[in-house]
Amino acid sequence: MSAAGLLEADQGAEENAAARQEQGEGGPQAPAWHAAAPDPARFPPAFLAFLRESGISVDNYRSDGAEVRRFVRVNPRSAPAAVCLDELRWQLGPTIEPVPWLPGFFSLSCGVKIASSSLYTHSHIYGLDAAS
């Protein structure tokens, strides 16, 4: 696909998403930390295609000085009661929020240390970064 075609596809997807949100559609709303999207025109078309194919939001590449979030994943082998949102907040603090489109994944402030929590030391959660 040409560069113009990729940009048109990105713009069309953004317009469709905006229309769905105006109509009350579109599923879970993004949390505040997932704000203002960068201008896709500043990225090479091949990179934009890779992001789309990989399900990665271009919003992750904003450069507005916003905090870079950390992520944890709940071990699927853990008992659900051991890793509820209240327990996560009790051990890791109030900044932890579920990732709306990815069950079992949570976002938290970059300053939170997870290694000393019992959820981490007992392998109930994993720390993740973009490469994971």
Side-chain angles (χ1 to χ4, degrees), residues 83-129:
V83 196
C84 66
L85 185 56
D86 288 338
E87 184 65 21
L88 287 164
R89 286 188 174 145
W90 184 78
Q91 290 196 33
L92 302 175
T95 67
I96 194 160
E97 294 295 332
V99 174
W101 53 272
L102 196 56
F105 287 74
F106 296 84
S107 167
L108 59 155
S109 180
C110 65
V112 175
K113 307 295 185 210
I114 65 171
S116 60
S117 75
S118 66
L119 288 172
Y120 183 82
T121 58
H122 290 101
S123 300
H124 291 298
I125 61 171
Y126 308 115
L128 302 171
D129 60 21

Side-chain angles (χ1 to χ4, degrees), residues 7-93:
L7 287 176
E8 286 175 13
D10 282 343
Q11 290 167 348
E14 289 173 12
E15 290 168 2
N16 289 338
R20 282 193 309 271
Q21 283 194 346
E22 285 176 12
Q23 297 170 1
E25 301 174 18
Q29 297 296 314
W33 54 264
H34 198 279
D39 179 9
R42 71 184 181 114
F43 297 110
F47 181 65
L48 291 172
F50 167 78
L51 293 178
R52 248 190 330 279
E53 291 166 8
S54 302
I56 299 171
S57 172
V58 72
D59 294 346
N60 293 326
Y61 296 91
R62 65 180 182 227
S63 59
D64 58 4
E67 174 187 48
V68 175
R69 305 283 290 180
R70 295 186 69 188
F71 295 89
V72 294
R73 177 183 184 197
V74 173
N75 183 341
R77 294 181 179 154
S78 293
V83 196
C84 66
L85 185 56
D86 288 338
E87 184 65 21
L88 287 164
R89 286 188 174 145
W90 184 78
Q91 290 196 33
L92 302 175

